[in-house]
Amino acid sequence: MRRIKYHWLLVVLGILSFQANAQSNYSLQIKSIDSSNNKVLNETLKQFPYKKSFPNALLRSKELQSFLFKLFDNGYIAASFDSISNDSLNQTAFLNLGQIYHWAKIEKGNVDEGILSEVGFRDKIYSNKPFSQNQVRNLQEKILNYCENNGYPFASIKLDSITFEQNNIHARLALTKNTLVKVDSILIKGNADVADQYLYNYLGIKPGDPYNESLIIKIPDRLKELPFVNITQSFKVIFLEKNCKILLYIDSKKASQFDGVVGIAPNNTAPTLAGGTPTVAQVKITGQAHLRLNNSYGKGELFDLNWQEPQPQTQDLKVQFNYPFILKSPFGLDVKFSLFKQDTSYLNLDENLGIQYLLSGGNYFKVFYEHTSSTIISARGLDSITVLPPYADISCDQYGIGYRSEKLDYRLNPRSGYSFEASASAGIKSIHKNPKINAEVYDSLKLTSTEYKAEYTFDYYFPLSPRNVIDIGAKGGIINTPDLFQNELFRFGGLRTLRGFDEQSLYASNFELWKVEFRYLMEQNSFLFVFYNQAWYKNMMRNYSGINTDTPYGFGVGSTFQTKLGIMSVSYALGSQFNNPIAFKSGKISFGLVNYF
């Protein structure tokens, strides 16, 4: 029995050995048909080496053809294998190399100088250089691409008047443009409510424009970037006698939204009576509402309103209006207004007027003017102070630039892509004397100074598998100016920035936020997630007596899922700052609902 086992083992090993040896048993050798040309052939083979062993005869045959193509593209246009000798698994191919041909000249023929200049044609490129079919093919393709992008989609080109003088080749370019085709119109086949002028400007294709293949092929990607349309089938181009019509099969898609968030957290500031009985609720409830109207009038316009009550008696309101393609130009209007009321302490107003230069996918460059002002609401009890409170009456006029770039596969729940937005500005800040406050407290201040400000936000999504996604994000900002007050600082913390902390509870003149979020996708709009976010910030507020720098962090879990009412989300987060231990009783629970209409 044991001998039989050894016998079969030897058979298996023999088969494996045979297969391993057979992997490269087909050999190839190329020789010159004329032994006097062996030296020339050897030099050629050094320049154009070839494979000599193969697992099968088919790959060996393809190698012969590939070797000939290399020779053709380097001037040996008459090269050929005159005979092939086979000896079982070995093959010898006898090559007739022939002469190497050079370009004497390619004349421009009837091709316009403007076209030749655009495609980079120069006479010296084809003068006394080895003939290359690949080089000629590239030149022809460049000329045809230029014609397709400038109104001649049916153009054709060839080499004409080809002559041979010894081993030199003369030829002339012959271009047939055929009919000039212009765009007649873009027609929507579907219920999409999009104004014609907006569509023409957005796609960059307008009636009367010459046919442009480079813009036509981008139509599907450009339409996918619009959040308020849905592609039902591929677009079509209908060619008529001298013009064409472009048919878009698109329907309206819900893009406007209303959402709200309710936050529940322990009220860590609740005072208590003797015996530990709280005088106010031990739980603090915060709220947020967001209304976003997208393309309500079919012109791609945007109205965005965001209200938030991050803390009791504190209100935060942000409003934005965006109108693209003003007067059929690539410029858009961007207007922003915000109001922030900090209990009975101060009121901040921010007005921002910007002009965007629109890029593809809703991206843009922007220049803007921003006016900010902060006013003390009540000066009661401040008439006899000798030191200013943490806030003051301030205004600032700034000019800046901004940039936005986004490329996501699906905006509501991305699996891949990125989003990036940044702005930077500079201007003059003024501190105003409050008539109800002792004027002497302003003596040590620089009432007029230069202020610099910059902010950015970045998110990158990459899939680990079809259902697992990692979101890596960063956000930061810096304010640089003398005599900073609390009502000038950045405010962050909470669901949208640093989870695990009260909404807008942290103040900073310079901050960085980082996050890592792992998502497990259940459906298109449903996923489970776990996250970790880390911050570093510095508070350079004037006369600030607390710790001016810290590295708080937060982590937690949550779920987002599709319901009949909309997209519901719930999360639980914990946070720690100033190296304090995690306290589970201080966990933050948030509920959110997004409804698209």
Side-chain angles (χ1 to χ4, degrees), residues 336-339 348-352 370-373 453:
K336 296 179 181 179
F337 169 80
S338 69
L339 177 153
N348 287 357
L349 297 177
D350 188 339
E351 298 145 339
N352 187 304
E370 183 176 29
H371 174 75
T372 59
S373 64
K453 186 176 182 180

Side-chain angles (χ1 to χ4, degrees), residues 525-550:
N525 295 324
S526 302
F527 59 91
L528 302 173
F529 63 90
V530 295
F531 68 88
Y532 174 84
N533 44 213
Q534 174 77 59
W536 169 89
Y537 73 90
K538 181 181 290 187
N539 186 340
M540 299 300 291
M541 187 174 72
R542 182 177 181 271
N543 296 330
Y544 184 62
S545 59
I547 301 175
N548 68 353
T549 186
D550 190 27

